[in-house]
Amino acid sequence: MGYQFITAGSVPHALELLKEHGQAARIVCGGTDLMVRLHLKRLPECVFISIRELEELRYIREEDGWICIGAGTTLGTLENSLLLMDKAPALFQAAQVFADPNVRHSATLGGNIGNASPSADSAPSLLAFDAQVVIAREGGQRTLPIREFFTGVGRTALNPGELVTQVRFRPNPNSAFVKVGLRSAMAISVVNIAASVDLAQDGVMRDVRIAVGAVAPTPVRAGRAEDCLRGKRPEEAVIRQAMDALQADIKPITDIRASEGYRRIVAENMMRRVVRKACGICEHEEGSDQ
């Protein structure tokens, strides 16, 4: 197999290389997924354009009411971010259970969503935050809601010659993430789920967004479950109704990691846990309707 590897010196340089090499060009940063595909010989001859050295894509900062994260920021950086821990705990928690420490210090946020895996651990949190993806292209940039970014297994809305440079979202401390794998965090998720809740002082969920991964060809928002929760308190009966409604929001399959039936049962139970967690209800408070 023939491969060429070029290091981009800047985002404009990367865009020039994408244009020059056309369909043969592939962006690479952390390379964690790339190494697996190379080992399995699942990549055709191509030109790898590395953006790993671009400091301009590595940051977490708060700007004008948005949390902005550069596409080259590693998951290891996310798991140690006090800003995320305080204002976006769902993404902070997702980073903490992503693979192992070695992988987290190489894998990047842009790469995790760019691979468009249905089980990508960062995707549910970003969907629950209703995040935006900033995409650089020749002559400027465009911004796309993340709910429109994933188009299928391994497919995104990126056009030829485009590059993800940033993900941004409004902070929400009332958020949480839960993952189930076959063993430790190193395992690919069987199901992962995130919730972001706009919680009023009286405990009413004025708005709620729930997103689930590994239960459909793309990570998905659970709209029917959200409708059951919106405008209500996170009482057990309300959550149970949403758990039932979730079944219409997901389309899991049977694969080597889990059966469709198992995924449906797990997703229900995880949704209960993640909503309570986002609302600040401790897991041991089994009968609590706070």
Side-chain angles (χ1 to χ4, degrees), residues 193-210:
I193 184 167
S196 178
V197 180
D198 179 9
L199 199 62
Q201 288 187 348
D202 61 0
V204 170
M205 296 177 286
R206 290 178 294 200
D207 195 14
V208 56
R209 293 190 292 268
I210 298 170

Side-chain angles (χ1 to χ4, degrees), residues 123-128 192-196 209-213 219-222 226:
S125 298
L126 296 174
L127 278 166
N192 52 24
I193 184 167
S196 178
R209 293 190 292 268
I210 298 170
V212 197
V220 294
R221 283 277 299 275
E226 293 173 353

